[in-house]
């Protein structure tokens, strides 16, 4: 009856993301916000020191959150807790793993620690999620061991346009790869900068080998539903919720709009009287160096 | 035969795929009206707090209880097992409260402790590759509950009449045996319910 238990397998790491599908993952900066998120029906929380819009406002170097904040959030809720490490900062990632964080986001929202390489995520027991703008970037991250992908969008702007662009780009590239003949795939792999074996999988299955969420600019229930229609498996909401006037109501509304993204009457209903959403930023007003989506290689 | 998969959140697609592979018609259930013409229901893995909240929000809790009372089989995996349990450690109230078991949530630890293991499952088969993700286990079973599988002395699969529970995720593999077993339960219940 005794069996060998295998931890950290692809199936266990990717499976964790499968369980989050159809759900909303919310950025929180303390235990109180984490509880509000859990109460509202979030499937997980992302523990941060500052939400992306505040990171933007503060400027300077953004790093992994204080372990105390993460610990506090982990103690407050029973849903999974995610946390962010800087791109390439495998020691921050090891600290998060040691603390028992359930998922690590190797995130462009923080200031990259390595301008050439990402973390070798396959060496970790804890799963990783990474941002991507197109199929090549998504498959490079999966090749490094990411178990979940999200669009990069443009974090902390409350402007959905970049997330839409990235999701549409990935979906259209997937469709194209699926319809290619097999002898075209190697050249396509070269063009996309994607590992050939993973591209072959996409060709055969017509989808990414891992779950793909929307992130970076989701501000309203309708934004969340829009991303679900475009093929997202679920939604990350960063600054949107706790920068709104009534976070509790806002959080519940976004959860419902994500579950029932095809029920427009319901989304209209839950969108009533939500108060002012976060103030958005027009993407063209951002200087090139302010665009977080350019981080990552 | 039509089997529903509760589709409020979680691994819905995978259950639909395996039910279809095992020969049943499967539908994703998002609305309460869809429950009425089902012969059985799968409650998938996901986040139990999220699924439970949405179940209450859309008034699905009572209709699912009625489905059970009318003799229709229900299969809960992971979060689904927590939702059908009569007792949940550390919580005053159960969710659906159908199965005479006490469950402990996140019982094997956090995600880094999540694992897969090959199990011998009574009535279903040997060497079933079981994927445990922040999984619960069953601490105690009532007299009418049959234990189907254990991991290191912890109960991880059980059946009570027309209720089936697994702490792990048969839907994350390509092994259809668990789903075929549930379909057989549904078939038997259709015969029994027709006789009543």
């Amino acid at each position: 009856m005794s069996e060998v238990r295998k931890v950290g397998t692809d199936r266990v790491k990717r499976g964790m993301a499968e369980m989050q599908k159809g759900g909303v993952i919310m950025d929180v900066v303390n235990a109180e916000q984490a509880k509000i998120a859990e109460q509202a029906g979030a499937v997980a929380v992302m523990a941060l020191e500052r939400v992306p819009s505040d990171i933007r406002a503060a400027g300077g170097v953004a790093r992994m959150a204080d372990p105390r904040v993460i610990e506090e959030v982990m103690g407050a809720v029973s849903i999974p807790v995610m946390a962010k490490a800087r791109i390439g900062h495998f020691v921050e990632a090891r600290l998060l793993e040691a603390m028992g964080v359930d998922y690590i986001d190797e995130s462009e929202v923080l200031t990259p620690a390595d301008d050439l390489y990402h973390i070798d995520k396959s060496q970790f027991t804890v799963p990783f999620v990474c941002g991507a703008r197109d199929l090549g970037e998504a498959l490079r991250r999966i090749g490094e061991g990411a178990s979940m992908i999200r669009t990069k969008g443009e974090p902390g702007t409350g402007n959905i346009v970049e997330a839409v662009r990235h999701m549409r780009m990935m979906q259209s590239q997937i469709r194209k790869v699926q319809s290619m003949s097999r002898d075209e795939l190697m050249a396509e792999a070269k063009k996309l900068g994607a590992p050939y074996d993973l591209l072959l999988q996409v060709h055969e299955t017509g989808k990414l080998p891992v779950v793909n969420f929307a992130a970076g600019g989701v501000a309203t229930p309708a934004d969340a539903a829009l991303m679900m229609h475009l093929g997202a498996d679920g939604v990350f909401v960063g600054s949107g919720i706790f920068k709104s006037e009534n976070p509790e109501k806002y959080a519940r509304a976004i959860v419902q709009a994500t579950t029932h993204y095809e029920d427009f009457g319901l989304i209209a209903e839950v969108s009533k009287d939500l108060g002012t959403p976060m103030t958005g930023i027009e993407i063209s007003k951002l200087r090139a160096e302010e665009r977080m989506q350019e981080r990552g290689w | 035969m039509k089997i529903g998969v509760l589709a409020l959140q979680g691994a819905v697609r995978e259950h639909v795929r395996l039910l279809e592979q095992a020969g049943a018609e499967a539908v994703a259930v998002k609305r309460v009206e869809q429950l009425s013409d089902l012969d059985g229901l799968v409650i998938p893995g996901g986040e139990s707090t999220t699924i439970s909240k949405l179940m209450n929000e859309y008034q699905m809790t009572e209709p699912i209880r009625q489905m059970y009372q009318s003799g229709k089989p229900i299969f809960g995996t992971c979060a689904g097992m927590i939702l059908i349990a009569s007792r949940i450690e550390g919580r005053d109230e159960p969710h659906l409260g159908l199965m005479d078991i006490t469950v402990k949530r996140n019982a094997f630890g956090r995600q880094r402790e999540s694992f897969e293991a090959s199990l011998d499952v009574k009535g279903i088969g040997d060497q079933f590759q079981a994927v445990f993700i922040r999984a619960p286990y069953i601490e105690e079973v009532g007299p009418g509950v049959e234990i189907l599988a254990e991991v290191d002395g912890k109960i991880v699969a059980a059946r009570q009449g027309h209720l089936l529970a697994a702490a792990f995720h048969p839907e994350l593999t390509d092994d259809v045996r668990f789903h075929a077993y549930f379909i057989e339960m549904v078939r038997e219940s259709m015969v029994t319910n027709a006789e009543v």
Side-chain angles (χ1 to χ4, degrees):
Chain A
M1 204 67 209
S2 196
E3 332 62 24
V4 186
R5 289 196 203 177
K6 284 179 283 185
V7 299
T9 62
D10 275 351
R11 205 144 47 184
V12 166
K13 293 200 281 190
R14 292 177 181 184
M16 161 74 198
E18 299 285 346
M19 296 308 137
Q20 305 265 297
K21 280 190 304 200
V24 181
I25 300 169
M26 303 182 191
D27 278 2
V28 299
V29 299
N30 55 40
E32 186 200 351
Q33 289 187 354
K35 282 184 185 147
I36 292 173
E38 185 177 46
Q39 277 303 314
V43 289
V45 289
M46 176 77 70
L48 294 159
E49 212 159 82
R50 283 196 288 254
V51 295
S53 63
D54 288 341
I55 290 176
R56 255 183 211 293
V61 175
R63 309 179 179 89
M64 179 188 95
D66 183 333
R68 176 72 68 201
V69 172
I70 296 165
E71 201 176 72
E72 199 188 293
V73 169
M74 286 168 68
V77 293
S78 66
I79 54 176
V81 175
M82 302 186 171
K84 289 182 195 291
R86 279 179 269 177
I87 289 172
H89 206 315
F90 55 85
V91 171
E92 281 187 351
R94 285 293 180 198
L95 304 188
L96 295 173
E97 183 179 53
M99 290 176 64
V101 161
D102 295 298
Y103 232 97
I104 297 174
D105 185 0
E106 186 184 19
S107 179
E108 68 282 2
V109 167
L110 306 181
T111 310
D114 191 320
D115 63 350
L116 292 176
Y117 306 112
H118 283 251
I119 298 170
D120 178 6
K121 296 164 276 287
S122 64
Q123 299 304 307
F124 286 70
T125 303
V126 65
F128 279 76
V129 56
C130 286
R133 291 173 297 177
D134 56 37
L135 183 60
E137 193 171 13
L139 295 180
R140 286 196 296 280
R141 298 294 86 81
I142 297 167
E144 292 157 355
S147 307
M148 180 181 191
I149 292 295
R150 53 170 177 75
T151 58
K152 283 180 162 175
E154 191 53 52
T157 59
N159 189 338
I160 196 70
V161 65
E162 295 300 301
V164 167
R165 187 207 309 279
H166 300 160
M167 186 57 78
R168 279 200 183 274
M169 176 63 86
M170 277 190 243
Q171 301 293 355
S172 105
Q173 288 172 320
I174 288 170
R175 284 192 297 272
K176 183 178 166 206
V177 166
Q178 191 184 13
S179 65
M180 281 179 152
S181 75
R182 218 182 137 114
D183 51 14
E184 294 171 314
L185 289 179
M186 186 58 84
E188 187 67 11
K190 182 184 170 194
K191 191 179 132 207
L192 293 174
Y196 176 77
D197 58 324
L198 291 174
L199 199 71
L200 185 61
Q201 267 186 50
V202 172
H203 171 68
E204 283 166 355
T205 61
K207 61 185 192 64
L208 281 184
V210 303
V211 164
N212 186 14
F213 269 47
V218 178
T220 67
D223 286 349
L226 174 67
M227 295 312 298
M228 295 299 285
H229 277 276
L230 291 175
D233 290 313
V235 176
F236 282 87
V237 186
S239 320
I241 290 169
F242 291 99
K243 285 287 163 191
S244 71
E245 271 178 25
N246 185 345
E248 261 168 291
K249 200 170 166 195
Y250 225 95
R252 280 163 44 103
I254 289 195
V255 168
Q256 295 206 45
T258 305
T259 306
H260 287 288
Y261 62 92
E262 286 166 313
D263 188 339
F264 305 116
L266 181 142
I267 299 170
E269 198 53 45
V270 302
S271 299
K272 284 179 185 165
D273 304 318
L274 284 182
T276 320
M278 67 180 284
T279 315
I281 301 174
E282 165 55 37
I283 303 296
S284 61
K285 299 279 187 290
L286 291 175
R287 291 194 307 275
E289 63 272 23
E290 291 174 327
R291 288 159 63 99
M292 292 174 173
Q293 61 175 288
E294 310 294 339
R295 300 165 168 177
W297 358 102
Chain B
M1 181 195 301
K2 191 165 158 187
I3 297 179
V5 180
L6 192 66
L8 296 175
Q9 190 271 316
V12 175
R13 229 174 10 232
E14 292 70 16
H15 274 296
V16 169
R17 179 178 59 95
L18 281 187
L19 286 167
E20 284 172 350
Q21 274 178 26
E25 184 193 347
V27 288
V29 174
K30 282 198 171 190
R31 316 176 71 97
V32 68
E33 317 84 86
Q34 291 176 285
L35 291 168
S36 55
D37 70 334
L38 298 177
D39 301 304
L41 181 70
V42 174
I43 306 181
E47 282 308 315
S48 62
T49 40
T50 307
I51 299 175
S52 153
K53 253 176 214 30
L54 293 168
M55 234 165 51
N56 290 331
E57 196 116 31
Y58 305 125
Q59 282 95 42
M60 291 175 110
T61 308
E62 208 39 51
I64 294 174
R65 286 196 185 118
Q66 279 161 17
M67 253 188 97
Y68 165 73
Q69 275 147 16
S70 65
K72 292 177 177 173
I74 297 180
F75 176 22
T77 61
C78 193
M81 178 173 99
I82 296 169
L83 291 168
I84 63 174
S86 290
R87 293 168 302 278
I88 302 162
E89 206 196 74
R91 237 188 102 95
D92 297 335
E93 291 291 315
H95 300 288
L96 289 160
L98 304 177
M99 192 170 183
D100 193 6
I101 55 176
T102 307
V103 298
K104 184 176 158 71
R105 298 185 59 208
N106 300 339
F108 291 98
R110 303 193 70 99
Q111 174 59 23
R112 67 176 175 196
E113 281 87 40
S114 295
F115 62 97
E116 49 182 303
S118 172
L119 301 184
D120 296 347
V121 187
K122 195 174 159 192
I124 290 176
D126 291 346
Q127 295 187 347
F128 193 92
Q129 195 63 23
V131 185
F132 292 81
I133 294 170
R134 288 170 44 94
Y137 60 63
I138 301 172
E139 281 196 315
E140 260 179 11
V141 298
V145 179
E146 185 186 11
I147 295 168
L148 302 181
E150 295 183 12
V151 167
D152 300 335
K154 312 293 186 196
I155 305 163
V156 293
R159 176 176 176 176
Q160 177 185 18
H162 56 288
L163 292 171
L164 182 64
F168 49 91
H169 295 283
E171 75 278 14
L172 288 183
T173 65
D174 292 320
D175 194 333
V176 300
R177 288 178 291 173
F178 233 100
H179 289 79
Y181 180 87
F182 181 64
I183 289 170
E184 195 46 44
M185 280 172 64
V186 175
R187 191 168 289 133
E188 285 166 16
S189 79
M190 288 167 78
V191 174
T192 315
N193 296 345
E195 284 165 357
V196 175

